Every structure is written in C-alpha cells, then in structure tokens.
Amino acid sequence: MDGNTSLIHLENINFSYSSGQLVLDDVNLTMEEGARIALKGGNGAGKTTLFHIILGLIRPLSGSVTVMGRTCVGEEDFKQVRRQVGLVFQDPDDQLFCPTVIEDVAFGPLNMGLKSSEAIERADSTLSSLGISHLRDRVPYRLSGGEKRLVSVATVLSMKPDVLLLDEPTVGLDQWVTERLIRVIRDYPCRGLLLISHDSRIADALTTRSLVLKGHKIEEECLAVNSQSRVSVSGS
C-alpha cells in the first residue's frame, strides 16, 4: 500500500531539538489499514515526538507526513487529521482543561459540530463504557492520577477517531482498571492503532506487531504469530 492510500505515511522524517540534539534521523513508516502496532524504545528515543509529528503538534525539520491520503503541510491540513486521529497524551494534565469531567469529554464532539445535547449524550456513553460515570461532575484537577488517565482516554474515544495513538495509557492504573481499559480499546472499532507502552499486558492484548525506535531510527520489525496487520518501515 502506498502513501496515498495508507492510514499514516511518514517519509524521511528528521527532527532535532533546538539544542541541536538529534531525535529522528530519516525515519520512514507506513501504517496500513487494520494495523495494531506497539512502538517500543527507551526513554528519550523519540516515540512521543513521532506521535506529535503525525498530528502536527510539532513539525519535522524535513520529510513529509501523509495521513488518510492527505499530505499535511500547514495547520489547516493537521486540523482535519486531528478529527480522524485521536491521541491519548502521556500526561493527562495536557488533555484536561475544562471545569468538569463531562465538559472535558464533550469538548471534542462539540468542536466537531455536534449539538450540545448530542455531545453530552456521547460523553456520558463514553464515561459509562470506561466505568467512570461517577466522575461525571468532578473537577478534573482534583482527580487521582489513575482517574485523570481514564478521563483523558474518554476525551479521545468520545470523538470516535479512525486511528488511535496511545502514549503510555495505563500508567497509574491498577490491574482491574487496566483490564477494563484493554477491553474497551480492544472492542473500539478503529481502523488502526499505534501504542507506546512499557506495560506488556496492554501491548500483548492490543497489538500484533512491534517496531523499535533506537538510534534515531525505526530499527527493526518484530512480527507476531498469525498477525493480520501490515506495516512497513525503513530508514535503518
């Protein structure tokens, strides 16, 4: 599948911090329909940076980003991408900013053009699916770390994105809540999923292939037995 028909296509991506420290060096990745991929690598390897480049939150020094067949150049292109690709941030505080939980979870649907009643209904349904309806009227900054994590996931799922990018979604969650989150995401009808996690439970449950980001490149591909997902990488 080429870059025009894949879900996500990154070509010759290079990125360095303002200090000049190299993060990504000529990275290429093509994510095809149905792919469920674990992106592995040490702390500081550039995994989160790669996610942010996909959504246009930061821009590469060079290279191209194509999502759902759209080559993204400016902010208007990435605005459309953010309607189709949902990112659960590593830090929930980066995702929660409204006075109450229900307002945070309804914010995305409202921003997509749903009527207030429809957005609230979708938000309530999402909270229920995660088993956190009791947090509905709570103030987000007063929640525990685990509660914030679940609410941040709800803010993304309520937008019904085609592709999910999950950045350490189970940090701060106990085993029971982690298992519930796994069930919800496993049953979510997304067209593709990219997961960053050091938790083997969620990686084993939700993904079928693993990529390793090491030495500023996507270095290798590990195929799961009987995998039906497909992904190609280069730049190593």
Side-chain angles (χ1 to χ4, degrees):
M1 185 176 288
D2 62 29
N4 292 324
T5 55
S6 57
L7 296 177
I8 296 173
H9 180 67
L10 306 180
E11 186 172 1
N12 304 128
I13 296 294
N14 291 278
F15 181 83
S16 298
Y17 292 124
S18 57
S19 64
Q21 179 185 350
L22 180 65
V23 181
L24 302 173
D25 181 18
D26 206 29
V27 166
N28 298 275
L29 184 152
T30 299
M31 178 183 180
E32 300 184 1
E33 187 84 29
R36 288 179 172 260
I37 306 158
L39 182 60
K40 300 180 179 180
N43 292 334
K47 304 182 298 297
T48 295
T49 297
L50 200 66
F51 274 16
H52 289 184
I53 286 173
I54 291 170
L55 287 177
L57 303 177
I58 57 177
R59 304 295 170 85
L61 298 177
S62 60
S64 64
V65 178
T66 303
V67 182
M68 305 294 189
R70 175 192 292 266
T71 299
C72 301
V73 178
E75 179 61 20
E76 287 304 313
D77 298 318
F78 283 108
K79 281 183 179 178
Q80 181 60 38
V81 167
R82 293 171 202 143
R83 288 174 173 264
Q84 297 174 284
V85 179
L87 169 62
V88 175
F89 284 82
Q90 188 174 124
D91 184 349
D93 288 329
D94 291 337
Q95 209 140 10
L96 307 177
F97 49 83
C98 291
T100 64
V101 165
I102 190 65
E103 289 172 278
D104 258 325
V105 181
F107 179 85
L110 280 170
N111 204 39
M112 294 171 65
L114 269 67
K115 295 179 181 178
S116 179
S117 59
E118 295 171 333
I120 293 295
E121 181 179 357
R122 185 183 291 187
D124 276 323
S125 175
T126 305
L127 290 172
S128 177
S129 72
L130 286 164
I132 52 172
S133 295
H134 60 287
L135 301 179
R136 185 186 192 278
D137 299 313
R138 296 276 299 277
V139 179
Y141 78 83
R142 292 181 178 172
L143 300 176
S144 69
E147 289 170 337
K148 287 181 181 179
R149 177 72 56 184
L150 289 172
V151 173
S152 70
V153 171
T155 66
V156 171
L157 296 185
S158 68
M159 296 177 68
K160 297 188 175 180
D162 293 309
V163 176
L164 290 176
L165 307 183
L166 307 176
D167 194 348
E168 298 287 0
T170 57
V171 171
L173 302 183
D174 61 29
Q175 181 175 348
W176 184 87
V177 179
T178 294
E179 290 173 355
R180 184 176 186 88
L181 179 61
I182 287 172
R183 289 196 298 272
V184 169
I185 295 175
R186 188 173 54 205
D187 293 341
Y188 179 78
C190 63
R191 296 170 61 187
L193 180 147
L194 271 171
L195 168 72
I196 297 171
S197 181
H198 289 92
D199 187 339
S200 61
R201 293 173 298 174
I202 190 170
D204 291 345
L206 296 180
T207 64
T208 55
R209 294 193 175 189
S210 299
L211 305 180
V212 179
L213 189 53
K214 183 178 180 181
H216 318 300
K217 297 179 182 291
I218 294 180
E219 185 177 79
E220 62 187 66
E221 179 180 19
C222 304
L223 301 181
V225 176
N226 297 324
S227 170
Q228 298 300 312
S229 298
R230 299 169 59 205
V231 62
S232 63
V233 300
S234 59
S236 55

